[in-house]
Amino acid sequence: MAISPVASAQSQCVMSSSFNSTESTGFSCLNPLKLPNITKFKIALCQLSVTSDKQRNLAHALHTIEIAVEQGAKLVVLPEMWNCPYSNDNFAKYAEDFDDEDASPSFSMLSQVASNQGITIVGGSVPEWNNGLLYNSCCVFGPDGKLRAKHRKIHLFDVDIPGDILFKESDTLAAGNTPTIVDTDVGRIGIGICHDIRFPELAMLYGARGAHLICYPGAFNMSTGELLWELVQRARQEASILFVATCSPSRDSNGCYPIWGHSTLVGPFGKIIATSGHEETMVIAEIDYSTIQLQRESLPLEKLRREDIYQFVDKSAWKP
Ligand SMILES: O=C(O)CCC(=O)C(=O)O
């Protein structure tokens, strides 16, 4: 997908013809908003503490999901790397092969609790082994416990701010290549993992494909989190007017990676519906998708967009 300047109607035609119709989605092709059967429900963002003890992390996540359900949540979101302290040294040690049930306790636990409790889970992320490569992967489970989608972090976090932070995910992880949007009982959900949130094009693509909600499990750090974490999540709804949910681990002051925290639910006009600090907590809030329609009527971005000047092209094949 790319945003390309379009100099004239003529060049727009030429550019569009280089993609077939399933690959090219202009904003003018935005799906009219279709609401799921459940339009109002509670979401839980579990800002979990993560330790070096994987068994404890699993038991703790399970217990927290059960509490979220007791509080009425129909959709539970976990943080990025919730089974593993966030460090390149750990990813391989804590990684699981999702295709091998015996080698994937995190995957099995999430599948079982989704089906036992009859809820949808956006399972944060855990390191995944696949064909000799390591990925940062998020699994989405339906209320039957079945895997509905898997997102592998597309934009790896490689940062070098002299005197501040040096971290290169690409030293150990491979990048995913596919945007992930999934129809669930609680709406059409686009998935991004942490640094993916920095790229508005991905959110625009999800918006153009009719997402109601984008979930970003993330673990922003203290260097970039304070200035940007809230800003980017409030901005991400802007392209398409939808809900945005982020879920971080809590900060561990002894940890190797200083996590910003602040898991948040943002509404379709950029309003912060619920948020948190950096400590371990659960953010429970209500999502009401009917507000998306209202906001889109108040501010019809689709009509106001100037596709005679610029154009949005979705290069990946996708069908609802
Ligand atoms: O984009 C950023 O500033 C932080 C990203 C990050 O922490 C991550 O992708 O894990």
Side-chain angles (χ1 to χ4, degrees):
M1 199 225 18
I3 306 220
S4 317
V6 178
S8 66
Q10 192 187 2
S11 64
Q12 182 172 352
C13 283
V14 172
M15 194 172 76
S16 295
S17 69
S18 64
F19 298 104
N20 71 34
S21 58
T22 57
E23 290 174 327
S24 180
T25 305
F27 271 114
S28 51
C29 308
L30 260 176
N31 302 314
L33 184 70
K34 284 191 208 132
L35 291 175
N37 292 337
I38 302 177
T39 55
K40 227 182 195 190
F41 62 92
K42 277 192 188 162
I43 183 172
L45 312 173
C46 302
Q47 186 161 292
L48 299 172
S49 64
V50 177
T51 69
S52 54
D53 180 346
K54 185 171 170 184
Q55 291 312 318
R56 176 268 175 205
N57 295 336
L58 261 79
H60 187 56
L62 171 60
H63 181 59
T64 310
I65 293 168
E66 288 168 347
I67 294 174
V69 175
E70 274 167 29
Q71 299 199 16
K74 289 277 173 246
L75 171 62
V76 175
V77 186
L78 298 189
E80 182 181 25
M81 293 293 178
W82 59 268
N83 78 358
C84 158
Y86 199 88
S87 107
N88 274 324
D89 294 343
N90 286 327
F91 296 148
K93 287 188 227 153
Y94 290 72
E96 304 187 5
D97 177 351
F98 301 156
D99 295 334
D100 176 355
E101 231 177 78
D102 298 331
S104 192
S106 305
F107 183 98
S108 305
M109 183 279 281
L110 293 179
S111 160
Q112 272 165 28
V113 68
S115 106
N116 291 345
Q117 302 290 346
I119 53 163
T120 300
I121 297 182
V122 173
S125 79
V126 298
E128 178 201 6
W129 271 124
N130 191 272
N131 286 328
L133 292 176
L134 262 181
Y135 297 94
N136 183 343
S137 302
C138 172
C139 294
V140 181
F141 297 91
D144 54 3
K146 293 212 171 102
L147 179 69
R148 292 284 166 87
K150 180 171 71 179
H151 179 77
R152 290 175 172 154
K153 187 173 187 173
I154 296 177
H155 305 92
L156 297 180
F157 184 47
D158 284 356
V159 64
D160 183 0
I161 305 175
D164 188 346
I165 180 171
L166 170 64
F167 189 75
K168 284 205 162 43
E169 273 190 327
S170 62
D171 282 348
T172 55
L173 298 175
N177 293 315
T178 317
T180 306
I181 184 161
V182 53
D183 281 321
T184 73
D185 285 17
V186 284
R188 184 169 288 179
I189 303 178
I191 307 288
I193 299 177
C194 205
H195 201 45
D196 286 339
I197 200 172
R198 290 259 199 167
F199 299 85
E201 298 90 339
L202 186 64
M204 289 161 77
L205 181 149
Y206 291 152
R209 290 177 177 183
H212 306 110
L213 166 69
I214 307 179
C215 288
Y216 293 100
F220 259 51
N221 52 78
M222 306 264 292
S223 305
T224 59
E226 184 167 12
L227 272 181
L228 291 167
W229 176 239
E230 182 188 312
L231 181 74
V232 287
Q233 51 196 290
R234 294 182 74 192
R236 281 309 73 92
Q237 57 70 41
E238 183 56 30
S240 315
I241 304 188
L242 38 63
F243 283 82
V244 172
T246 58
C247 186
S248 167
S250 63
R251 189 175 308 159
D252 170 4
S253 38
N254 303 314
C256 42
Y257 186 85
I259 284 171
W260 177 242
H262 297 261
S263 304
T264 301
L265 177 68
V266 176
F269 244 22
K271 182 175 175 214
I272 293 187
I273 296 175
T275 190
S276 63
H278 61 75
E279 65 293 337
E280 173 156 74
T281 188
M282 188 191 300
V283 176
I284 299 245
E286 188 168 79
I287 286 186
D288 180 355
Y289 287 143
S290 66
T291 59
I292 300 178
Q293 190 60 47
L294 286 177
Q295 306 287 24
R296 287 187 187 177
E297 279 161 16
S298 321
L299 184 60
L301 293 182
E302 270 176 69
K303 288 192 196 126
L304 302 172
R305 213 162 247 127
R306 292 288 305 274
E307 291 209 318
D308 55 328
I309 301 176
Y310 46 75
Q311 194 191 33
F312 168 89
V313 180
D314 177 351
K315 285 188 176 177
S316 57
W318 179 80
K319 291 200 175 64

